[in-house]
Amino acid sequence: MSISLKLCMIYLILITWNKAGLAHGYGFLILVFIGTSISLIQVYKLFFKKISFYSLVPIFLILGFSFIAYYNPQYRALTIKDLNELKYEKVLLESNNPQSVELLSNAINLSLDNSKKDPQTSLALLYHFKNLLRDNFSDKESTGIHNFFNQIESNISLNYRNTYPSCTIKHDNYFKNILFFILNIFIGISLFNELKTKSQVHFLILIIVLNCLFLSIVGFYQKINHQWTEDYVEILGLWDAPEPRYYFSTFTYKNHWSAYAVMCVYCLFYLINANITEARKMNQNIFKSKYLFLLIMSTIIISFSVLYSGSRSGSLIILLSIVFYLLKSIRDGIFIKYIKMKYLGLLFIPLISLLMFAFFKDQKWVEMQKNTSSQWKNISEGKFPLRLHFWNDSIEAIRSQPFWGYGYNSFASIYPKFQCSEVRTERNLGLENAHKAYVPLVAHAHN
């Protein structure tokens, strides 16, 4: 096994333990170091013609597009000069509506505070407050302030070339985000170039699913020992979860975990089939397989971790996948011919029953039922699920920039511009009892 392949395996494991790649600090620096080492090895092999030049073409294209996009921004940050040109103080004094004046004042103060340190949030805030003004005040009530927001948008909009790649707005972390993205692509290219045999593929997949098994166990442990206190640090005792109800293991959001877990379950299906196929060729007893018991046990535990995470879509996918896999296995005669079902049942049915019993007693099951019931009720009343509105908003954003889009990692800054009133109404409900408006989260967070 090559050094590059070993580094890839280490990277794929560490990134999941580093808050699923979202944490900064020493963990992030270690990942960057490993990813850079892998990238340099691939470039070295390219110069010595050990790998094909074409495998690195995507990297060069992304780098080129990224540089062009950075120097072709669509917006710039708000400045004091803009306010002076648009006679900001005069607009405030001439308005007869104190609530809209307060809204405009908050918008300008928050946007200016973030204009240098976080231009993306600054832009998102402007669109968020513009939406609030539109939702709460008619044109007749606050004509001057409505016009002022439109003039601000016009001022900060730049004459960019829409035939070239572009970014939403320049910010200090732009190239840092791009480079980390490229490092992750290098991992895939390195795996493509370094995996030479089927046994290497099997070993890599086995390492990934075992890592997922350990993460699942950590998730169960955290769930059992979770404390609902302000000073409790949810993820490994190192990082806070943005929403403590929805994290699982080292992943900050339940659907992110379920996507990773479902992928690993599919890998386990492949390994189980590979073990059974090997036993078939060798005419061996299936129970003599070194890994089959571990693979089936891992499948059960990881599958239940999806249920315990509270992800309804993930739970549905995992249940349908297992049913489909079992039906296919029965049709192919795998269980009948190669596995004694009574032994299999004695080994695994108690574990499945225990996990199922605990799950039906868990608060997550109650929450999933309530959410599903609420959605069905809303649909019967003609209200579509919030997710459909997200998708429709995304389609509107794509329509406005169908080819190059708004640039890499631009969703947070540009989404409020396309956020529909239904989404805004639902998210504003979360602020009814808040001591102060938590604007950035409401403006563009997923959940």
Side-chain angles (χ1 to χ4, degrees):
M1 186 180 294
S2 67
I3 295 176
S4 185
L5 188 54
K6 291 177 182 177
L7 288 174
C8 285
M9 292 171 62
I10 294 170
Y11 185 94
L12 291 173
I13 293 171
L14 286 182
I15 197 169
T16 58
W17 290 90
N18 192 50
K19 204 178 177 183
L22 297 179
H24 298 283
Y26 292 115
F28 177 78
L29 293 176
I30 292 171
L31 286 172
V32 170
F33 175 77
I34 296 173
T36 303
S37 301
I38 295 168
S39 304
L40 291 175
I41 291 172
Q42 293 302 303
V43 173
Y44 171 83
K45 290 185 175 181
L46 172 65
F47 281 113
F48 285 91
K49 297 183 179 180
K50 293 184 178 181
I51 61 173
S52 170
F53 167 80
Y54 296 107
S55 65
L56 297 183
V57 167
I59 300 293
F60 297 130
L61 287 176
I62 291 171
L63 276 172
F65 290 156
S66 300
F67 274 102
I68 295 171
Y70 182 76
Y71 293 102
N72 189 33
Q74 300 177 20
Y75 297 90
R76 61 171 176 80
L78 182 69
T79 64
I80 295 291
K81 184 179 177 182
D82 293 314
L83 301 181
N84 293 333
E85 288 179 358
L86 298 175
K87 299 178 181 179
Y88 168 57
E89 292 183 357
K90 184 180 178 181
V91 172
L92 292 178
L93 291 171
E94 290 180 350
S95 176
N96 296 321
N97 191 316
Q99 288 82 14
S100 62
V101 169
E102 182 183 6
L103 186 148
L104 176 59
S105 178
N106 288 336
I108 297 303
N109 290 336
L110 285 169
S111 184
L112 282 176
D113 286 345
N114 288 277
S115 60
K116 290 185 178 180
K117 63 181 179 182
D118 191 357
Q120 288 182 299
T121 299
S122 177
L123 179 63
L125 287 169
L126 282 176
Y127 278 117
H128 170 67
F129 279 105
K130 184 180 179 182
N131 291 336
L132 281 180
L133 182 71
R134 188 191 312 156
D135 293 339
N136 294 285
F137 305 100
S138 66
D139 287 339
K140 292 181 179 180
E141 290 178 293
S142 304
T143 304
I145 293 181
H146 278 281
N147 291 337
F148 186 78
F149 268 107
N150 291 333
Q151 289 171 342
I152 286 178
E153 183 178 4
S154 177
N155 263 33
I156 65 174
S157 298
L158 301 175
N159 292 321
Y160 72 101
R161 300 193 177 193
N162 58 10
T163 54
Y164 295 165
S166 64
C167 66
T168 306
I169 191 168
K170 284 185 178 181
H171 57 94
D172 293 339
N173 291 326
Y174 178 83
F175 285 110
K176 175 185 172 184
N177 295 338
I178 291 292
L179 289 175
F180 190 61
F181 175 60
I182 288 173
L183 289 181
N184 283 286
I185 295 179
F186 257 116
I187 303 302
I189 292 173
S190 181
L191 289 173
F192 176 79
N193 290 325
E194 300 296 334
L195 288 171
K196 304 295 184 182
T197 64
K198 186 177 285 189
S199 62
Q200 288 180 336
V201 174
H202 287 185
F203 183 72
L204 174 65
I205 295 175
L206 180 63
I207 293 298
I208 290 173
V209 298
L210 288 179
N211 179 59
C212 186
L213 173 63
F214 291 133
L215 287 169
S216 301
I217 294 170
V218 168
F220 287 126
Y221 176 82
Q222 290 178 158
K223 185 173 181 58
I224 293 169
N225 292 279
H226 183 84
Q227 299 174 19
W228 294 99
T229 58
E230 289 186 4
D231 59 345
Y232 182 72
V233 182
E234 292 86 7
I235 301 176
L236 301 180
L238 298 173
W239 305 291
D240 289 313
E243 172 50 85
R245 294 178 302 162
Y246 295 139
Y247 83 100
F248 189 86
S249 189
T250 59
F251 287 65
T252 56
Y253 188 59
K254 57 184 180 178
N255 284 351
H256 302 166
W257 166 257
S258 66
Y260 178 72
V262 167
M263 179 193 72
C264 289
V265 168
Y266 287 162
C267 290
L268 282 161
F269 289 162
Y270 169 75
L271 291 178
I272 291 170
N273 272 2
N275 270 261
I276 293 174
T277 301
E278 184 180 354
R280 179 185 296 177
K281 289 179 179 178
M282 303 295 292
N283 289 322
Q284 291 179 344
N285 187 331
I286 194 66
F287 288 101
K288 291 183 179 180
S289 170
K290 296 179 182 179
Y291 305 114
L292 186 64
F293 179 86
L294 176 62
L295 295 176
I296 297 177
M297 182 74 74
S298 300
T299 304
I300 294 170
I301 293 174
I302 294 173
S303 298
F304 270 97
S305 76
V306 176
L307 272 67
Y308 276 88
S309 73
S311 171
R312 290 175 296 156
S313 54
S315 300
L316 181 63
I317 291 170
I318 203 73
L319 290 173
L320 290 176
S321 299
I322 290 173
V323 169
F324 177 80
Y325 177 75
L326 290 175
L327 290 175
K328 183 178 183 302
S329 299
I330 292 170
R331 187 196 69 180
D332 295 342
I334 291 175
F335 289 126
I336 297 173
K337 195 171 183 180
Y338 296 97
I339 298 177
K340 298 178 180 179
M341 290 296 290
K342 59 181 180 180
Y343 295 139
L344 192 68
L346 289 174
L347 287 172
F348 298 114
I349 286 178
L351 173 63
I352 296 173
S353 301
L354 177 63
L355 290 170
M356 189 66 74
F357 176 79
F359 174 67
F360 287 137
K361 293 290 184 180
D362 192 82
Q363 190 61 33
K364 278 293 178 188
W365 170 242
V366 177
E367 182 183 317
M368 291 165 73
Q369 286 180 300
K370 287 182 178 178
N371 289 342
T372 303
S373 175
S374 176
Q375 279 195 347
W376 277 114
K377 182 180 178 182
N378 287 337
I379 291 171
S380 65
E381 294 174 354
K383 299 178 183 177
F384 291 105
L386 203 58
R387 189 165 297 172
L388 292 180
H389 292 300
F390 291 149
W391 295 343
N392 188 61
D393 293 344
S394 299
I395 290 171
E396 290 302 316
I398 293 169
R399 280 176 180 167
S400 68
Q401 295 284 352
F403 192 73
W404 291 116
Y406 287 91
Y408 176 69
N409 203 27
S410 62
F411 182 81
S413 57
I414 204 64
Y415 175 59
K417 180 178 180 180
F418 301 95
Q419 196 175 63
C420 63
S421 59
E422 291 83 0
V423 173
R424 296 198 297 269
T425 300
E426 288 294 320
R427 286 188 164 166
N428 286 333
L429 293 175
L431 294 178
E432 285 184 344
N433 300 313
H435 295 292
K436 60 180 180 179
Y438 191 54
V439 176
L441 177 63
V442 176
H444 54 253
H446 174 68
N447 199 307

